[in-house]
Amino acid sequence: HDLIRTLEELGAEVKIHGLTVLNCFTLFSDHYYVKNRIKEKKPISAFYYLMRNQWVKYCTQRAEACLGEELRPFGILDVPTIRRECQNLINYDIDPILATLTTRVRRFAEQGVCGICNLFVLNCMLGNIMVPIFKSALNPYRNLPILNAAYDGQKQTNMLTRIEAFMHQAGLYHERLRYDKE
């Protein structure tokens, strides 16, 4: 529905979370496959998953090296960071995607974004679960605006109004941040 274009036309600078799928893959491989295979005394299987994970990390690090310095904080997150950042909110064993996105949204807030768009498709269960978790995760950031939007393939009649309201809230948040720094 051209959300990014709409946000940019209204004055936003959009940053996309990007490497979440790779983050989930490495989190899942590190935690579940390698450690479980060692516990199960399957060293060849553990070695396979360890090598596969190292290859993915290597390729990801090479890709990230091409990014500009301003995009580096939004690159891949390491497993200890994900576990530490989400431990008070959720258990990363519930869902590695949820744990990664919770950590990612906190990182965005730390970097000083003025709003978060939480988009999910077809009223996805994971998307709905993220709404209260993101609210808790962002609680320290004094009312950082969040736009929660479910896309179901239907024409969304009130979406432009919701985006405009979100942009207004983001503008007020930006002004408050700027005022606090002075």
Side-chain angles (χ1 to χ4, degrees):
H1 293 285
D2 290 326
L3 176 66
I4 293 173
R5 184 172 298 139
T6 303
L7 287 167
E8 288 176 341
E9 286 172 356
L10 292 171
E13 178 184 338
V14 177
K15 294 185 182 200
I16 300 173
H17 64 79
L19 299 170
T20 299
V21 172
L22 284 173
N23 252 129
C24 293
F25 182 78
T26 56
L27 175 66
F28 198 74
S29 289
D30 270 356
H31 179 69
Y32 296 100
Y33 288 118
V34 176
K35 292 178 183 171
N36 286 345
R37 296 303 188 258
I38 290 171
K39 286 179 188 174
E40 295 168 358
K41 297 186 177 157
K42 296 181 179 178
I44 294 172
S45 180
F47 181 72
Y48 165 76
Y49 286 111
L50 177 68
M51 296 313 298
R52 183 180 75 168
N53 203 25
Q54 293 303 314
W55 178 78
V56 169
K57 286 180 182 178
Y58 169 76
C59 291
T60 303
Q61 288 169 349
R62 286 193 61 193
E64 284 183 337
C66 297
L67 298 176
E69 194 63 38
E70 71 279 358
L71 295 176
R72 292 256 166 81
F74 307 107
I76 197 164
L77 300 168
D78 61 349
V79 176
T81 300
I82 295 170
R83 292 172 69 179
R84 182 182 64 253
E85 292 272 337
C86 73
Q87 73 182 358
N88 294 334
L89 301 162
I90 60 168
N91 188 323
Y92 60 89
D93 280 334
I94 292 173
D95 191 295
I97 294 173
L98 189 57
T100 302
L101 290 174
T102 301
T103 303
R104 178 77 58 203
V105 80
R106 290 180 74 150
R107 289 294 166 117
F108 273 121
E110 287 172 12
Q111 292 295 320
V113 298
C114 295
I116 303 269
C117 293
N118 176 25
L119 310 176
F120 44 99
V121 180
L122 299 174
N123 246 348
C124 168
M125 181 182 72
L126 185 61
N128 285 312
I129 291 170
M130 284 190 286
V131 172
I133 292 172
F134 281 6
K135 186 174 181 177
S136 295
L138 297 173
N139 197 29
Y141 300 97
R142 295 185 26 199
N143 300 318
L144 177 69
I146 303 174
L147 172 65
N148 294 300
Y151 285 92
D152 59 2
Q154 302 292 322
K155 182 74 174 163
Q156 304 222 342
T157 57
N158 69 343
M159 192 51 141
L160 182 58
T161 305
R162 291 181 64 207
I163 293 170
E164 289 171 342
F166 170 75
M167 287 299 298
H168 178 71
Q169 292 172 342
L172 292 174
Y173 187 83
H174 178 72
E175 289 297 319
R176 189 171 47 238
L177 282 178
R178 193 174 68 176
Y179 178 74
D180 289 347
K181 286 181 182 178
E182 293 175 355

